[in-house]
Amino acid sequence: MNQDGRPTFTYLGHATVRCDLPDGRVILIDPFVSDNPSCPEALKTFERIDAMLITHPHPDHFADAVGLARKHRPEKVVATFEVCAYLESKGVENCSGMNVGGSQEVLGARVTQVPAIHTSGILDGDRMIYGGVPTGYVVRMPDGYTFYHAGDTALFSDMQLIAELHRPALAFLPIGDHFTMDPKQAARACRFLEIQQVVPIHWGTWPILTGRPQQLEEELASLGVSCRVVTLEPGQSY
Ligand code: NI
Ligand code: MN
């Protein structure tokens, strides 16, 4: 825990982030650990999970959602209406389905679901089930500290509205390319978002995700954007 009452973020690799709140409660964003090649073995299990935020149900964000939610029974499992309906059909309790533009209280924080430009389908065996739209989340802590987890997304200019409406200090942004933004787009996202810190995610997990934090730093410098790149190795906390 930080002395200033802000959450401690632990990067579990790929797009999975564990947020330890000052009071000891835990929010897990995009539960993908068992088959996550980046996740350190010791961090694949949890003492507690009090809330879960799911950006979209692709396996690399969702594979452990049912298992971890049934085991830890979080107070709230947050996802789109469609994803929550699927989770409930698999026996997950306390689902709180929402939709983009809306907000709700989660463990005392204000969570707003925001758009992402990507796709969203639920792979169930060999079937693809409709999974609503992909999303990101803006989380405002009780002390006002605000962060944004973009999920999987391309660059979109309405990130400027996220800045105007929510003033996030920090964002978790994908930089890996192929399925999401590359570093060049992510640097422009940092400019649109007017953030002070960016944590690159969705890179290096597999060889196809070629974007690197160093490239993001170079792109930011060439744009003259003063945003600090906080590069976390899987297992590292911030
Ligand atoms: Ni995806
Ligand atoms: Mn992904």
Side-chain angles (χ1 to χ4, degrees), residues 95-107:
C95 292
S96 186
M98 65 188 306
N99 221 315
V100 286
S103 303
Q104 63 174 309
E105 297 294 316
V106 178
L107 309 183

Side-chain angles (χ1 to χ4, degrees), residues 96-139:
S96 186
M98 65 188 306
N99 221 315
V100 286
S103 303
Q104 63 174 309
E105 297 294 316
V106 178
L107 309 183
R110 187 84 177 151
V111 171
T112 304
Q113 198 174 51
V114 297
I117 296 188
H118 190 65
T119 64
S120 181
I122 305 170
L123 202 54
D124 191 348
D126 57 1
R127 288 177 63 221
M128 185 67 79
I129 300 172
Y130 176 67
V133 296
T135 70
Y137 291 100
V138 174
V139 180

Side-chain angles (χ1 to χ4, degrees), residues 7 39 63-64 70 79 83 87-88 116 130 136 141 156 173 210 236:
C39 186
D64 292 295
R70 287 176 62 164
V83 171
L87 289 170
E88 282 168 354
Y130 176 67
M141 303 304 298
F156 55 97
L173 298 182
T210 54
Q236 276 189 328

Side-chain angles (χ1 to χ4, degrees), residues 13-188:
H14 199 53
T16 305
V17 179
R18 197 186 77 208
C19 308
D20 291 59
L21 303 184
D23 63 8
R25 293 188 293 178
V26 172
I27 302 177
L28 183 64
I29 305 177
D30 279 358
F32 172 54
V33 290
S34 320
D35 295 331
N36 181 343
S38 301
C39 186
E41 210 55 43
L43 297 177
K44 291 184 175 184
T45 53
F46 300 84
E47 274 175 33
R48 58 190 297 165
I49 299 171
D50 299 278
M52 218 181 249
L53 306 183
I54 295 161
T55 64
H56 68 298
H58 285 160
D60 60 318
H61 300 255
F62 186 67
D64 292 295
V66 171
L68 289 175
R70 287 176 62 164
K71 180 173 179 194
H72 293 280
R73 307 182 61 169
E75 235 171 77
K76 256 190 191 181
V77 178
V78 176
T80 57
F81 174 77
E82 287 80 2
V83 171
C84 281
Y86 175 84
L87 289 170
E88 282 168 354
S89 79
K90 300 292 176 184
V92 174
E93 295 170 357
N94 304 329
C95 292
S96 186
M98 65 188 306
N99 221 315
V100 286
S103 303
Q104 63 174 309
E105 297 294 316
V106 178
L107 309 183
R110 187 84 177 151
V111 171
T112 304
Q113 198 174 51
V114 297
I117 296 188
H118 190 65
T119 64
S120 181
I122 305 170
L123 202 54
D124 191 348
D126 57 1
R127 288 177 63 221
M128 185 67 79
I129 300 172
Y130 176 67
V133 296
T135 70
Y137 291 100
V138 174
V139 180
R140 181 162 55 88
M141 303 304 298
D143 72 347
Y145 180 78
T146 302
F147 68 93
Y148 166 47
H149 188 298
D152 281 357
T153 190
L155 179 63
F156 55 97
S157 55
D158 281 357
M159 286 177 176
Q160 293 167 105
L161 293 174
I162 293 175
E164 180 182 331
L165 290 166
H166 303 289
R167 298 270 156 224
L170 173 148
F172 296 90
L173 298 182
I175 66 160
D177 201 350
H178 198 89
F179 298 109
T180 69
M181 295 194 283
D182 62 3
K184 189 170 182 171
Q185 292 177 59
R188 280 145 183 91

